[in-house]
Amino acid sequence: MKQVKLKDKEFGVSIPAEKIQKVISEMAIKINNDYKDKEVPLFISILNGSFMFTADLFKHIDFNCEVTFLKMASYSGTSTTGTVKQLIGVNETIKGRDVIILEDIVDTGITLEQILEQLKTFEPLSIKVASLLYKPEAYQKDMTVDYIGMEIPNDFIVGYGLDYDGLGRNLADIYTLID
Ligand code: IMP
Ligand code: MG
């Protein structure tokens, strides 16, 4: 098995690059079909992890659309649920637009909940969520993830944009922590 060492941890390939590309092209077919009659939808890619997924998915999109990149930044306040994160970089016109959020992975769903709450205040016409990966066993929320590339077990993964302590984002395959 192909393996990689990042800092103190060993990872082995769990999702090969070809499989990732296949699920992305299948997701694009659904999105193309659902949005073909809409007026210039806006893709919102959540940095950092989603940059590779966004680039590869976007190449398959066949309707007129825009893309922008946002980031969740922690700020120096905490709530009972942990660190409060604010969405930064929102400057396109969201009001009245069909918005598709692009996420690398939905794990507990806490990040996605915060993104949706904050985006809704900009009054989009519609919001859907597309996530390459989804961990059903870890998910704690009830928002719908409209487009899911793959469901994966509740293990820590890296590669294809996802990192361990900043490392591993450059890997074309996805790797799982070996314990
Ligand atoms: P959530 O808020 O728990 O849903 O986590 C969402 C964010 O945590 C993702 O956008 C990732 O940046 C990160 N994350 C969740 N699971 C993993 C993983 O297995 N490997 C690397 N990053 C992860
Ligand atoms: Mg992320």
Side-chain angles (χ1 to χ4, degrees):
M1 183 179 49
K2 216 153 99 180
Q3 292 193 11
V4 64
K5 187 164 192 219
L6 302 170
K7 296 199 170 165
D8 54 325
K9 299 202 188 318
E10 296 270 2
F11 297 84
V13 169
S14 52
I15 311 172
E18 302 71 42
K19 170 76 178 167
I20 298 170
Q21 296 304 323
K22 184 168 178 278
V23 304
I24 290 174
S25 58
E26 288 165 359
M27 185 188 287
I29 291 170
K30 292 187 194 135
I31 294 175
N32 283 333
N33 189 53
D34 292 351
Y35 285 84
K36 59 179 186 287
D37 300 323
K38 308 275 186 191
E39 194 153 325
V40 194
L42 175 64
F43 287 90
I44 298 184
S45 172
I46 309 301
L47 295 172
N48 292 327
S50 303
F51 72 99
M52 279 210 193
F53 168 51
T54 301
D56 285 338
L57 178 81
F58 209 56
K59 286 179 265 182
H60 293 284
I61 297 302
D62 62 10
F63 50 84
N64 287 336
C65 59
E66 293 180 8
V67 62
T68 191
F69 297 85
L70 301 184
K71 199 170 174 122
M72 292 297 282
S74 304
Y75 66 92
S76 57
T78 53
S79 73
T80 47
T81 53
T83 313
V84 179
K85 287 187 163 184
Q86 192 174 13
L87 201 51
I88 54 167
V90 193
N91 49 21
E92 320 294 309
T93 313
I94 289 174
K95 193 177 164 78
R97 302 286 295 276
D98 290 301
V99 166
I100 305 152
I101 296 172
L102 300 180
E103 261 289 26
D104 50 354
I105 185 166
V106 175
D107 187 340
T108 62
I110 291 169
T111 307
L112 181 60
E113 183 177 61
Q114 293 180 343
I115 291 167
L116 285 171
E117 251 172 42
Q118 293 176 43
L119 279 181
K120 279 176 187 160
T121 66
F122 293 92
E123 300 175 18
L125 183 61
S126 69
I127 307 188
K128 282 194 180 185
V129 179
S131 184
L132 177 64
L133 302 163
Y134 171 62
K135 291 181 181 173
E137 294 157 41
Y139 196 59
Q140 301 169 5
K141 304 291 176 183
D142 53 14
M143 307 91 60
T144 305
V145 182
D146 304 276
Y147 305 97
I148 294 172
M150 271 170 284
E151 295 194 355
I152 59 166
N154 195 9
D155 300 320
F156 188 76
I157 56 161
V158 294
Y160 197 73
L162 290 139
D163 71 303
Y164 166 53
D165 222 358
L167 300 181
R169 296 193 195 274
N170 53 310
L171 302 165
D173 308 288
I174 289 174
Y175 293 70
T176 300
L177 183 62
I178 300 168
D179 45 25

